[in-house]
Amino acid sequence: VYPEIICVSHENRGVAACRNEGVALVKTPYFLFVDADDLIDPLLIQRLEALIQIDCFDIISFNYNKITKDHAPLSHQHKPDIINHDGPSVLSAFIKSKATFDSVCPYLYNTAYFREHDFQFATGRTHEDFGLIPWVILNAQSILCINDVLYYNIMSTNSIMRTNDYSKEVKKADD
């Protein structure tokens, strides 16, 4: 259905290395990341395609829900609606609203913007998103934030993001 989607298979080199390679392979003006065990809204592509026809944004941010593997809701990650603001303004609004903004997945990225800034995920880290995504947001000149929930993050019981294991929390902070 979408010939722009490329599937690459390698031995396990870690998420960061795979994401960096994926960005290098992108042939479209925009791209997004989807974790293999998560779900996207069936209308995600249509909704985002309509928005990029309006203007050329560096980033389009959308909301996501954390759900169980049985699709029971755990939490709603709500970010404020913001129309075409710069990165510092958006990051400040996210912080003031206590929005979660560290995950790589609930964003559509402008390929030229991402490459011009040579954004790279740090390899060898468990939480490679945490250091990069705030930096990607901060450097943007044009961000659109929409209130639509278009992504569903499945939180399995053994997830590194859903743990009471203190050593994993320390690792997250170190990353």
Side-chain angles (χ1 to χ4, degrees):
V1 176
Y2 295 99
E4 301 87 4
I5 296 175
I6 301 168
C7 183
V8 178
S9 181
H10 286 294
E11 73 287 351
N12 187 352
R13 298 178 300 146
V15 174
C18 293
R19 287 183 176 157
N20 290 336
E21 180 179 5
V23 171
L25 293 170
V26 171
K27 292 182 169 78
T28 56
Y30 288 88
F31 68 93
L32 56 92
F33 296 97
V34 179
D35 284 345
D37 57 347
D38 290 344
L39 301 172
I40 61 171
D41 187 281
L43 298 177
L44 175 125
I45 301 295
Q46 285 178 281
R47 180 73 171 109
L48 296 177
E49 279 181 339
L51 293 170
I52 62 175
Q53 301 305 315
I54 296 170
D55 202 347
C56 181
F57 300 102
D58 292 334
I59 302 169
I60 298 177
S61 170
F62 44 91
N63 288 321
Y64 70 101
N65 286 347
K66 291 184 178 184
I67 60 175
T68 67
K69 66 180 180 172
D70 300 322
H71 302 181
L74 291 171
S75 67
H76 173 70
Q77 304 301 312
H78 176 77
K79 293 177 271 187
D81 285 331
I82 301 170
I83 299 173
N84 205 2
H85 282 278
D86 65 2
S89 300
V90 171
L91 197 56
S92 177
F94 283 179
I95 291 167
K96 286 178 184 170
S97 69
K98 298 182 180 162
T100 302
F101 55 85
D102 52 354
S103 172
V104 69
C105 295
Y107 301 97
L108 180 72
Y109 303 93
N110 181 301
T111 305
Y113 165 69
F114 211 89
R115 288 181 178 157
E116 284 167 11
H117 287 81
D118 194 29
F119 294 125
Q120 295 280 314
F121 293 93
T123 57
R125 304 241 189 257
T126 303
H127 304 280
E128 74 290 335
D129 307 17
F130 287 15
L132 184 61
I133 299 311
W135 186 244
V136 172
I137 294 168
L138 186 62
N139 282 280
Q141 296 299 308
S142 176
I143 301 177
L144 174 66
C145 301
I146 61 172
N147 201 19
D148 301 22
V149 175
L150 299 174
Y151 194 87
Y152 299 88
N153 180 223
I154 298 177
M155 305 296 289
S156 63
T157 52
N158 64 347
S159 169
I160 61 171
M161 300 303 292
R162 187 179 181 197
T163 182
N164 292 324
D165 183 338
Y166 182 71
S167 65
K168 288 183 180 180
E169 292 297 317
V170 169
K171 173 79 172 129
K172 188 180 351 178
D174 284 344
D175 286 348

